Amino acid sequence: MKKLIIIFSSIAFFLIIFFVFLYFTSTSFLLRNTSLSKTEKENLTEHFNKKEISYLLEEDCTSLILKIDQNKEFEKQNLEKYCTYYKQNKEVTEEVIYLVKHNLTNLPYDENMKAFIEDEHAKPENLKRYLEFKKQDAGTTEEIVTLVNHNYDAFSNKNDTMRRLHLEPYFLLNNIDRYQTYLNNHPETSTSMVVSLVNVGMDGTPYTNIQKANLEDGNLILVNKFHKLRENDVPTLSAVTDQYSTQTISLTKEAKSALTRMIDAANKENLSLKAKVGYYNYATQSYTYQDTVRLHGEAYADQHEPRPGHNEHQTGLAIDFVNSKNNDVNRLKDSEEGKWLMENAHFYGFILRYPEGKEAITGFAYNPYHYRYVGIEEATIMKKENLTLEEYLAFYKSK
Ligand code: ZN
């Protein structure tokens, strides 16, 4: 009997010691004297183990971690890096995730850095340069980001004009020398126009340095005064029924199906929109061009009629539209049909190919009835950003 009592009391003694040990080493014991709220404590115990919590407490880092651990970029394996940076830069919050992720924790934290990190165009690899350039340039955060992204901080001939040039959204570093040359020769031209003109090659002379246009480029094929189709370049064509066109025309299959969808939509709004002209061949354009030269002279012809091989109607992707009640392209502009097209064509993948105000860029007079199929996604970007096909390709397809 005595023996049993001894055994039981020993077991009880060890159990008590064990539970006391468990209590003193538990996370709740670790957190008992902190100023954290109940929810914060729960949050910590839910996401971190004892070792991690004791590290956070030791480093005085819990308040930072509680602010950032719900961020989807938060990575538990970087706990020490977050805390080390926080120790030196008490003001930092969410940005520490970005800094650790991009190995930028050697940079001291301040309000400028916060602003740069938040800028949607900022690149982590340029962060140090933004901060350094900010000391020399009074520009806004957005300007500094653009200028550095465009390498202006490393540019040797800094002046107001060059600064404005580098701030242009469609600035391409590869073209810098040509922008400069163009500006020197045409100091009255706005920097935005200089960027556009040079990007599309209009700092050169039209109908010189002509390159071959390729039908294989599909919906984004470029045919203009610098890009030429050969006489035997003929796309695969599909005939358009007279429900959609005032005369027999043909287009590529994709352009045709976009056309029918668009005209169906216009019909639902009681509009009499139809196509009048689609594909035509090299020989036809040759005749049309020569005829225009004969009637109006070469200078006029070159503003209004492409030379043979330079007319995008030869791609099967271009359409001239009319109000089918009068069938006159020249009366489209002020009609309800013309206005509807201006507003809606991009939803079906069409762009107004020779817009008003862009004559120097396209090389052709404003043409309110000539549209070009490029695809919905591309047409939407061009419409939204007010870009011609030339500008779009130069900026978005040259990188
Ligand atoms: Zn046309």
Side-chain angles (χ1 to χ4, degrees):
M1 187 64 189
K2 218 177 179 182
K3 228 177 184 177
L4 263 180
I5 289 172
I6 290 169
I7 290 170
F8 277 120
S9 35
S10 313
I11 290 173
F13 176 74
F14 282 113
L15 277 177
I16 289 165
I17 297 285
F18 179 67
F19 284 117
V20 167
F21 174 78
L22 270 190
Y23 171 72
F24 281 110
T25 56
S26 69
T27 46
S28 41
F29 180 76
L30 280 176
L31 291 166
R32 78 194 186 289
N33 281 333
T34 58
S35 55
L36 300 170
S37 73
K38 195 169 168 252
T39 344
E40 288 173 331
K41 285 179 184 173
E42 278 166 10
N43 186 2
L44 282 177
T45 37
E46 194 181 319
H47 295 106
F48 301 97
N49 65 32
K50 212 165 64 189
K51 196 176 155 211
E52 288 158 350
I53 291 174
S54 96
Y55 172 79
L56 294 177
L57 291 169
E58 253 167 57
E59 297 296 313
D60 198 13
C61 190
T62 45
S63 58
L64 170 74
I65 297 303
L66 281 165
K67 273 180 214 144
I68 67 174
D69 75 333
Q70 302 297 314
N71 186 309
K72 63 182 190 311
E73 299 257 293
F74 178 86
E75 288 183 311
K76 213 167 147 181
Q77 73 263 28
N78 289 330
L79 208 59
E80 262 186 54
K81 289 182 183 165
Y82 299 140
C83 288
T84 309
Y85 191 76
Y86 179 64
K87 243 178 151 174
Q88 295 152 3
N89 304 275
K90 282 287 175 192
E91 300 304 310
V92 75
T93 55
E94 301 278 328
E95 302 78 28
V96 73
I97 296 176
Y98 177 97
L99 295 169
V100 166
K101 184 178 169 188
H102 299 292
N103 258 325
L104 293 165
T105 49
N106 55 335
L107 301 173
Y109 182 77
D110 65 14
E111 283 303 307
N112 285 333
M113 176 193 268
K114 183 174 153 64
F116 287 129
I117 292 174
E118 280 166 9
D119 188 281
E120 59 170 328
H121 299 293
K123 299 175 183 176
E125 67 270 27
N126 288 345
L127 186 62
K128 197 175 171 192
R129 284 167 60 198
Y130 302 144
L131 291 166
E132 265 158 28
F133 191 57
K134 175 79 184 168
K135 292 174 199 158
Q136 304 165 34
D137 191 288
T140 63
T141 303
E142 205 185 339
E143 286 171 342
I144 300 281
V145 167
T146 308
L147 288 168
V148 170
N149 286 355
H150 292 166
N151 237 13
Y152 182 68
D153 58 328
F155 189 69
S156 50
N157 305 322
K158 290 190 184 63
N159 61 49
D160 271 358
T161 315
M162 283 300 134
R163 189 178 180 280
R164 260 185 288 124
L165 189 62
H166 283 76
L167 276 174
E168 289 300 332
Y170 300 104
F171 174 95
L172 294 171
L173 192 54
N174 281 343
N175 291 344
I176 181 72
D177 294 340
R178 286 165 60 204
Y179 296 144
Q180 255 182 302
T181 309
Y182 196 89
L183 263 173
N184 291 341
N185 297 332
H186 307 84
E188 76 294 346
T189 311
S190 74
T191 48
S192 96
M193 190 49 113
V194 170
V195 166
S196 283
L197 289 171
V198 170
N199 284 2
V200 307
M202 275 298 198
D203 52 336
T205 311
Y207 294 123
T208 61
N209 293 319
I210 293 165
Q211 295 172 39
K212 192 169 121 11
N214 290 311
L215 287 174
E216 301 86 69
D217 290 346
N219 297 331
L220 288 178
I221 184 176
L222 182 61
V223 175
N224 62 12
K225 289 180 176 174
F226 298 102
H227 297 83
K228 183 182 186 181
L229 286 166
R230 293 161 305 183
E231 194 160 2
N232 57 1
D233 281 329
V234 181
T236 311
L237 294 164
S238 179
V240 176
T241 62
D242 60 8
Q243 190 188 345
Y244 298 102
S245 177
T246 58
Q247 60 189 18
T248 309
I249 66 163
S250 46
L251 295 169
T252 70
K253 219 174 157 188
E254 196 179 327
K256 175 187 152 182
S257 97
L259 170 76
T260 57
R261 262 180 284 124
M262 184 163 80
I263 290 189
D264 287 343
N267 285 343
K268 280 192 190 135
E269 301 195 25
N270 295 320
L271 296 170
S272 312
L273 182 69
K274 278 191 181 182
K276 181 174 182 177
V277 179
Y279 166 79
Y280 49 90
N281 64 23
Y282 190 98
T284 311
Q285 185 56 26
S286 191
Y287 172 80
T288 310
Y289 177 75
Q290 289 309 330
D291 206 40
T292 314
V293 172
R294 194 173 50 81
L295 288 169
H296 302 285
E298 190 178 270
Y300 177 92
D302 277 338
Q303 279 307 302
H304 295 85
E305 280 299 333
R307 295 182 186 176
H310 296 274
N311 186 336
E312 63 173 14
H313 279 285
Q314 198 185 330
T315 64
L317 297 165
I319 301 172
D320 294 344
F321 285 97
V322 286
N323 173 336
S324 59
K325 286 182 181 152
N326 56 47
N327 199 23
D328 181 355
V329 288
N330 294 313
R331 287 168 67 185
L332 183 81
K333 181 174 167 254
D334 297 317
S335 68
E336 287 307 311
E337 285 72 12
K339 288 172 198 161
W340 186 88
L341 264 183
M342 284 286 281
E343 294 303 314
N344 296 286
H346 64 286
F347 294 127
Y348 303 89
F350 291 95
I351 54 160
L352 178 71
R353 184 65 178 87
Y354 304 113
E356 199 167 18
K358 297 273 189 173
E359 295 84 352
I361 293 155
T362 61
F364 288 104
Y366 167 47
N367 182 331
Y369 55 81
H370 177 109
Y371 280 76
R372 160 69 194 272
Y373 183 73
V374 290
I376 293 172
E377 193 186 319
E378 292 79 1
T380 306
I381 296 174
M382 291 181 224
K383 170 81 179 172
K384 213 171 102 189
E385 300 188 25
N386 188 27
L387 297 177
T388 60
L389 178 60
E390 281 85 359
E391 291 167 287
Y392 172 83
L393 291 173
F395 188 75
Y396 286 104
K397 300 291 169 185
S398 72
K399 292 173 180 175

